[in-house]
Amino acid sequence: MTQPPIDLAESLGRVEHFKRFAEPDRQVIVGAGQVRAYPADSCIYREGEPSMGMFVLFSGHVHLSKVGPHGQQSLIAEIKPVIMFNEVSVLDGGPNLTTAMAIQDCVTWNISHENFQAITQRYPTVGLGLLRVLATRTRNLMSQYEDLSFRSVLARAAKLLLDLSDNGQH
């Protein structure tokens, strides 16, 4: 594990989940991964390939997509700073679930499955925080599933407009 730049550890200290960690502990956590730059239009990782670990996007724009059985691509998410992605793969070490493409020049922090396991053993609250994030995303996914399964197209469009208007406030 290499020593990270001090400003990255300081930035991590502004994230609610990491505020309680002392600076040396944040240095260890950040040092377990590495900062990477990806030019626009480059592939960060591909669906089905061995785990690339978890990423945190600091700058740029990333598209996460899935490839269908006939080669069609479906956009799953647009990632904008500062957010993490590919969390499932860092937890179970399994293959990447999506393909990540840099839409703009990107700077990320990346941690491998093995290093993440070591960090969560030393700092269990890091893993617990990730579990809360995944629980929220699972709830959102279930809500989308319910919409697709049980609402008509018209009802889904109305719900989307209501959500986008912040329940009619905007």
Side-chain angles (χ1 to χ4, degrees), residues 107-128:
V107 175
T108 68
W109 176 78
N110 173 233
I111 186 168
S112 69
H113 167 70
E114 297 78 16
N115 285 356
F116 186 79
Q117 298 305 307
I119 288 298
T120 56
Q121 287 177 3
R122 185 168 177 182
Y123 305 104
T125 56
V126 171
L128 292 172

Side-chain angles (χ1 to χ4, degrees), residues 2 26 42 59 69 76 98 100 109 132:
T2 60
R26 290 194 310 267
S42 65
S59 67
I76 301 299
T98 59
W109 176 78
R132 281 190 288 280

Side-chain angles (χ1 to χ4, degrees), residues 42-159:
S42 65
C43 183
I44 298 172
Y45 60 80
R46 294 196 187 285
E47 175 183 351
E49 291 181 349
S51 173
M52 286 294 294
M54 182 178 72
F55 292 80
V56 176
L57 181 65
F58 287 112
S59 67
H61 189 165
V62 173
H63 280 179
L64 301 181
S65 62
K66 297 277 293 172
V67 177
H70 302 292
Q72 69 275 32
Q73 236 181 9
S74 178
L75 181 63
I76 301 299
E78 288 191 56
I79 306 296
K80 296 182 180 178
V82 171
I83 194 167
M84 64 182 132
F85 58 100
N86 211 37
E87 307 91 340
V88 172
S89 157
V90 84
L91 287 172
D92 68 4
N96 304 314
L97 293 176
T98 59
T99 295
M101 292 294 295
I103 303 306
Q104 301 171 340
D105 291 347
C106 294
V107 175
T108 68
W109 176 78
N110 173 233
I111 186 168
S112 69
H113 167 70
E114 297 78 16
N115 285 356
F116 186 79
Q117 298 305 307
I119 288 298
T120 56
Q121 287 177 3
R122 185 168 177 182
Y123 305 104
T125 56
V126 171
L128 292 172
L130 183 55
L131 288 176
R132 281 190 288 280
V133 168
L134 288 174
T136 299
R137 290 186 183 172
T138 300
R139 288 184 185 282
N140 290 339
L141 183 61
M142 291 307 297
S143 176
Q144 289 175 349
Y145 171 80
E146 289 170 353
D147 284 350
L148 289 172
S149 297
F150 305 121
R151 295 184 199 273
S152 67
V153 172
L154 185 59
R156 287 195 311 262
K159 182 177 182 284

